[in-house]
Amino acid sequence: MKKVVGILGKSILRGLGIAFCVSGLCFAVAHLIPGDVALEIAMTRYGESDVGIIDRADRVREEEGLSLPLAVQYLDWIGKVARLDFGISLIDKTPTLPVVLRALKFSALLGVVALGFSLCVALPVGIVVGLRPRGKFYLVTAMLSSLIVSIPSFVWGISLIVLFALKLKWLPVAGFLSPTYVILPAATIALTLSATSSRIIAVSLAETINSPYYAFARHKGLSELWTLFFHGLRNASVPVVTCIGMQAASLFGGTIAIETLFNWPGVGLLFLNAVTSRDIPVLQTAGIAMGLICVAVNTTVDLLCLVLKPTARLERLG
Amino acid sequence: MKRSGVVVFLLSLFLCAFYIEGASEVCAADDRLVVVTAWETQGLDPLLSGFAFLRMGSVEPLVRSDRKGGVEPCLAEKWSLSDDRLTWKFDIRPNVLFHDGAPLTAAAAAQSLNRTLSKGAIFKGTPVKTIESDGNSVVIKTSSPFAPLPWYLATYSTVVLAPSSFDKNNECVSVVGTGFYKLSSSEGNTVFDFEAFDGYWGEKATIEKARYLAVPNPETRAMMAESGEGHIVIDLPAESAQYLAKDTDVIVVSHILPRVRSMILNAKLPVFADAELRRAVSLCIDRKGIAEAIHKDVTLAATQLLADFSPWHDKNLSPLEYNPEKAKEIFLASGWKPNKSGVLEKDGKEFAFEILTYTARPDLPVVAQAIQQQLANLGIKVSIAIDNSSVIASRHNDGTLESALLGRNYSSIPDPIGNIAADFSEPRDPMGAMNWRSEKAESLIKSYMGASNPQDAAKARSGIMAILQEELPVVPVSWYANQSAFSKNLENVNLDPYELRPYPEGVRWKK
């Protein structure tokens, strides 16, 4: 129990540290990109050909305090965050927290469905290949995995749209207004996720099956199925869970191409739009949220590994 | 393992329920007209997002674009100008209702317009002094004669919203307009649903429900047109439009916009200081080649600043041409001769400059490369820099900009004078001409602004365009076209090149 509390305590501290660093990095990036921040904001708000755009930019600079020293701007924002005030968007003047939470909601939905699809394919394929690592099925899946991973995900996305939306007309092209809209983007992401996961599951299971403790379990008279489930899969699952955890974390913000293609309003697209329009408060709030999510996912993975293989995990944690 | 599976399953169900609950308000109905565009809104404020509500027929201005560069009555049924040409009187159309049931009054219209004036928006830099109501009229006073005022009132920044649209701080909290569609719900900045407004003063919408859907990715928009998910799809890439034109369920239309890809040349640089040298550079550019190869439409090759549908297009002007031989002669006559490497040189200095452009308009870097190659053929060394569009403005302001290739819109006000004045007279817009000044052009711009009759305005307009064509402070390269697709199940689709009339105006399903 002490170890669990230790992991949680360290994670909370790590989460706060990472969130602080990520928000600072976002702030720095927004200011380091060449160009005038106030002018970029004015151009996003009113259009680049708007008459009197320089006056508007000066007004933005004045109203939003962009002429203050950067340190003052950043510390001011940190002070507000300490009071749980995440500020308002520089573009549309709405509070940033609901905007970020909405994007996170869509990213979470897409991520959960994509991971679900991925596991539906990767688990059976990985187990079958892991049990017969030198079979024909291994060769076929290895080739397919390499093919899937080597082609960019948006190409798969377009292919799925052409097949399922334009030819078969089973699913919509893009949007987010009913549950059917999540299927194509999730399937696109799941393709690459399952290609990686199935390989890791297969390799991990093959290593476990060849281990002395697995052979001992079989020799002491346990059935094949029992040994596979309670010795093979349990021990093989630690690297798999770690890999899926990393995949889950990367789905928050790491699927910009898919979100753009399918017009899915996730946090990746929000991040991209905030960077291009220099919406610094949105960028910082999204940075904090993504930092915290990464740590939360990592902590969950640590705890799951602890449950699955306590000795190995505790040894690693020291 | 079993428990983990149950937890994951329940979590998925929870997320789905959460999501569906949020989206249920905006679920599509089969007979809904779906308009797909590239442009996300920035909230509800018409100063930021009025384009979406104006183009969907939810809000209206006092006067509106007549689709030909002129204006016609809308919420004001007529207008007049005082003898001293300083006071405009716009008579409000009777029996017009806002979507909340309140009647449109001159006081409400003046309140809405005064908000625009106070925000320093479109009226900034104009001589507009006061906006007041007087009986059933909105009275606008200017400090000097200002002939294009009605055009300034036809934009999305000057639409009239009901007093209930604003909170006590005068911030826009809802969109309560007078148009044939009223806003019923929205989801983020990308989806807006509308319902036909029964109390509309003009021709009512025949399609009961409509949706504005912002889809920034052009390929996705094209696929939505092909699948039939979008009934009116605006702004398609040239390749997609060509492909869709073969589709039997979709009609593709293309119209040239008052927007031009042009090169700003820093007239302080020795290579651009002389108008003859700027003309020589212009002669090196094969506009037809660029238009055909890159934009897939040879008619987009610019012959002058604005295309022939605009009242500012002057047919009497000699068109910009591609004539490398003539360019060579000008360079030689000016002392620029090829050195051993074939690069033009004068007094030991090479004819070299940088074109700064940006990727927000993806065709610009490609056009820049074409220009680079075409100029290289004549011995001009061009380097290309790609950055954000605001860097052009920053480098214009600090004087380090050599040249820039940009897309310039001359229809943010349907009379391009607003943008032309900003680009070619003082105070100068940073996306306009650089270190070039023409007193004659400035005087003509002033004359146009204060013109008392259409003849004087036309004369000033011709004079301005002649100077720009002769001096070439900005070198037009190609015009923009809006390629749009609409479903064959629709009829009466009539898109405004100025994009200031509603897309669904008069549109109905085919029987």
Side-chain angles (χ1 to χ4, degrees):
Chain A
M1 192 60 193
K2 268 185 184 175
K3 288 283 177 190
V4 173
V5 173
I7 290 173
L8 285 174
K10 277 180 190 169
S11 296
I12 289 168
L13 286 176
R14 201 167 36 158
L16 289 173
I18 288 177
F20 181 77
C21 290
V22 173
S23 72
L25 201 64
C26 292
F27 180 81
V29 164
H31 284 280
L32 284 175
I33 301 171
D36 180 350
V37 174
L39 193 56
E40 284 287 345
I41 292 165
M43 282 176 165
T44 310
R45 278 188 190 175
Y46 307 108
E48 64 191 27
S49 296
D50 189 73
V51 175
I53 195 72
I54 286 295
D55 288 322
R56 288 188 188 269
D58 288 342
R59 204 176 166 113
V60 166
R61 208 183 323 275
E62 185 70 26
E63 284 174 359
E64 311 298 347
L66 295 170
S67 50
L68 295 170
L70 293 185
V72 174
Q73 288 181 47
Y74 185 62
L75 289 174
D76 181 46
W77 186 79
I78 289 288
K80 282 181 182 166
V81 170
R83 299 192 298 275
L84 295 180
D85 173 6
F86 290 87
I88 58 167
S89 159
L90 295 181
I91 305 298
D92 63 11
K93 302 279 188 183
T94 52
T96 59
L97 193 59
V99 172
V100 172
L101 288 177
R102 176 179 177 271
L104 286 173
K105 183 179 84 175
F106 279 102
S107 283
L109 176 72
L110 183 62
V112 166
V113 178
L115 278 176
F117 283 176
S118 160
L119 289 177
C120 285
V121 176
L123 272 176
V125 170
I127 291 170
V128 170
V129 173
L131 289 174
R132 286 182 182 74
R134 286 186 180 78
K136 282 180 187 170
F137 193 58
Y138 165 79
L139 284 174
V140 173
T141 54
M143 278 172 61
L144 267 178
S145 297
S146 303
L147 180 75
I148 289 168
V149 173
S150 58
I151 294 175
S153 57
F154 70 88
V155 176
W156 289 117
I158 291 173
S159 309
L160 292 181
I161 290 175
V162 170
L163 180 63
F164 292 104
L166 300 184
K167 299 294 174 200
L168 299 171
K169 295 196 183 291
W170 289 352
L171 293 165
V173 172
F176 52 90
L177 296 173
S178 75
T180 51
Y181 283 96
V182 78
I183 296 174
L184 280 184
T188 308
I189 296 170
L191 261 179
T192 41
L193 293 185
S194 60
T196 317
S197 307
S198 62
R199 301 283 295 147
I200 287 170
I201 292 169
V203 170
S204 183
L205 186 60
E207 270 179 17
T208 309
I209 285 172
N210 289 326
S211 65
Y213 62 80
Y214 192 87
F216 177 73
R218 289 289 287 129
H219 288 145
K220 76 180 182 184
L222 295 177
S223 74
E224 192 169 354
L225 214 59
W226 181 272
T227 317
L228 175 67
F229 274 98
F230 292 94
H231 293 275
L233 289 181
R234 188 182 174 110
N235 284 294
S237 60
V238 174
V240 175
V241 166
T242 309
C243 165
I244 292 169
M246 285 168 71
Q247 287 179 339
S250 73
L251 291 178
F252 287 93
T255 55
I256 292 173
I258 299 302
E259 289 176 14
T260 306
L261 179 66
F262 290 96
N263 211 36
W264 188 263
V267 77
L269 207 54
L270 179 81
F271 221 82
L272 180 71
N273 289 339
V275 169
T276 49
S277 63
R278 314 292 181 92
D279 199 344
I280 299 164
V282 169
L283 205 55
Q284 287 173 299
T285 309
I288 283 190
M290 285 163 73
L292 290 174
I293 283 170
C294 269
V295 173
V297 169
N298 282 336
T299 308
T300 310
V301 168
D302 285 350
L303 292 173
L304 271 175
C305 290
L306 197 66
V307 171
L308 291 166
K309 204 176 176 184
T311 45
R313 195 67 201 147
L314 288 176
E315 276 164 18
R316 270 179 64 191
L317 289 168
Chain B
M1 283 297 273
K2 266 186 183 175
R3 266 180 296 176
S4 313
V6 170
V7 169
V8 170
F9 179 67
L10 286 176
L11 187 66
S12 313
L13 273 185
F14 169 74
L15 280 165
C16 284
F18 185 40
Y19 161 73
I20 293 164
E21 187 264 330
S24 61
E25 283 175 26
V26 284
C27 271
D30 289 341
D31 61 344
R32 191 189 299 271
L33 174 74
V34 179
V35 176
V36 180
T37 80
W39 309 286
E40 286 186 23
T41 65
Q42 312 292 349
L44 295 175
D45 194 327
L47 297 178
L48 308 176
S49 307
F51 62 89
F53 305 116
L54 179 68
R55 290 170 187 172
M56 286 304 290
S58 182
V59 295
E60 294 172 309
L62 289 183
V63 297
R64 65 186 175 193
S65 157
D66 68 356
R67 301 173 192 270
K68 297 171 198 155
V71 286
E72 62 181 33
C74 189
L75 293 181
E77 60 178 352
K78 60 180 191 306
W79 60 90
S80 57
L81 180 60
S82 64
D83 290 341
D84 62 2
R85 297 192 290 124
L86 296 175
T87 305
W88 293 78
K89 203 172 162 195
F90 293 86
D91 296 341
I92 294 296
R93 188 180 292 279
N95 305 319
V96 174
L97 294 175
F98 285 113
H99 296 151
D100 61 358
L104 169 70
T105 61
Q111 184 192 340
S112 186
L113 289 172
N114 264 314
R115 178 176 181 272
T116 307
L117 183 64
S118 70
K119 296 273 179 184
I122 197 159
F123 294 125
K124 182 87 181 174
T126 68
V128 171
K129 251 184 3 184
T130 58
I131 302 174
E132 287 163 356
S133 62
D134 178 15
N136 198 36
S137 304
V138 172
V139 177
I140 301 180
K141 289 187 176 164
T142 60
S143 54
S144 59
F146 187 46
L149 179 68
W151 280 263
Y152 276 72
L153 295 176
T155 69
Y156 66 78
S157 303
T158 45
V159 294
V160 175
L161 293 190
S164 62
S165 301
F166 308 107
D167 66 10
K168 58 184 176 186
N169 298 320
N170 216 14
E171 294 300 326
C172 182
V173 288
S174 61
V175 178
V176 183
T178 55
F180 54 81
Y181 276 131
K182 63 178 176 184
L183 182 65
S184 56
S185 62
S186 63
E187 174 67 32
N189 285 340
T190 54
V191 185
F192 294 88
D193 278 350
F194 300 89
E195 286 173 1
F197 176 46
D198 290 336
Y200 185 56
W201 59 270
E203 190 187 336
K204 293 181 177 60
T206 54
I207 299 175
E208 190 58 32
K209 290 180 178 178
R211 168 171 294 157
Y212 177 93
L213 194 57
V215 179
N217 187 38
E219 284 74 27
T220 307
R221 286 199 300 281
M223 289 189 283
M224 292 180 83
E226 189 180 353
S227 71
E229 277 173 58
H231 302 116
I232 299 178
V233 181
I234 308 292
D235 198 12
L236 295 166
E239 293 80 4
S240 302
Q242 274 185 338
Y243 169 75
L244 281 173
K246 296 172 195 157
D247 191 321
T248 49
D249 295 328
V250 175
I251 295 171
V252 176
V253 290
S254 173
H255 52 254
I256 298 178
L257 300 171
R259 180 186 280 274
V260 63
R261 295 174 194 85
S262 53
M263 274 175 76
I264 303 174
L265 306 177
N266 181 352
K268 230 180 193 175
L269 291 183
V271 290
F272 299 135
D274 183 0
E276 269 298 278
L277 283 176
R278 294 196 294 270
R279 198 163 73 86
V281 168
S282 169
L283 286 167
C284 299
I285 299 174
D286 179 4
R287 295 173 176 79
K288 282 187 179 168
I290 289 173
E292 198 168 9
I294 301 172
H295 313 315
K296 314 290 179 203
D297 184 354
V298 74
T299 63
L300 298 182
T303 55
Q304 54 183 278
L305 191 66
L306 289 165
D308 56 5
F309 70 91
S310 168
W312 281 75
H313 182 92
D314 190 341
K315 284 176 183 157
N316 300 319
L317 290 178
S318 309
L320 297 170
E321 55 174 343
Y322 172 53
N323 193 336
E325 291 307 315
K326 206 168 173 181
K328 251 184 212 170
E329 284 171 22
I330 296 173
F331 288 132
L332 284 173
S334 310
W336 290 94
K337 291 173 187 163
N339 61 16
K340 282 177 192 170
S341 325
V343 178
L344 293 181
E345 196 178 283
K346 185 180 173 184
D347 302 332
K349 283 193 176 171
E350 290 186 331
F351 199 123
F353 66 95
E354 177 193 75
I355 299 178
L356 177 61
T357 191
Y358 51 98
T359 51
R361 301 195 173 279
D363 51 340
L364 288 178
V366 187
V367 174
Q369 281 180 328
I371 293 172
Q372 180 186 40
Q373 188 55 51
Q374 289 168 4
L375 295 184
N377 293 340
L378 269 286
I380 299 173
K381 237 180 172 177
V382 176
S383 58
I384 297 173
I386 295 174
D387 220 313
N388 293 313
S389 55
S390 72
V391 176
I392 295 176
S394 310
R395 289 186 54 189
H396 187 147
N397 284 343
D398 67 21
T400 59
L401 184 71
E402 295 182 351
S403 84
L405 180 71
L406 45 81
R408 195 76 177 133
N409 181 12
Y410 286 94
S411 69
S412 56
I413 298 155
D415 185 332
I417 188 63
N419 292 93
I420 284 178
D423 283 4
F424 302 105
S425 68
E426 299 300 325
R428 190 68 53 90
D429 191 289
M431 304 298 247
M434 185 177 181
N435 292 323
W436 173 86
R437 212 167 166 180
S438 160
E439 280 178 16
K440 198 175 168 196
E442 286 183 18
S443 146
L444 285 166
I445 287 168
K446 269 185 195 156
S447 305
Y448 184 88
M449 292 280 201
S452 59
N453 59 62
Q455 292 76 21
D456 287 351
K459 206 173 155 191
R461 200 162 54 211
S462 292
I464 295 165
M465 294 317 275
I467 291 172
L468 298 183
Q469 189 84 340
E470 182 65 30
E471 301 247 336
L472 288 170
V474 162
V475 178
V477 178
S478 57
W479 296 312
Y480 275 89
N482 191 348
Q483 317 253 21
S484 305
F486 56 91
S487 163
K488 279 203 170 153
N489 295 328
L490 289 175
E491 59 185 13
N492 215 20
V493 180
N494 184 11
L495 303 176
D496 174 19
Y498 291 86
E499 297 183 290
L500 290 168
R501 290 288 283 264
Y503 301 128
E505 188 177 2
V507 170
R508 50 183 175 261
W509 297 117
K510 271 185 189 163
K511 283 178 184 161

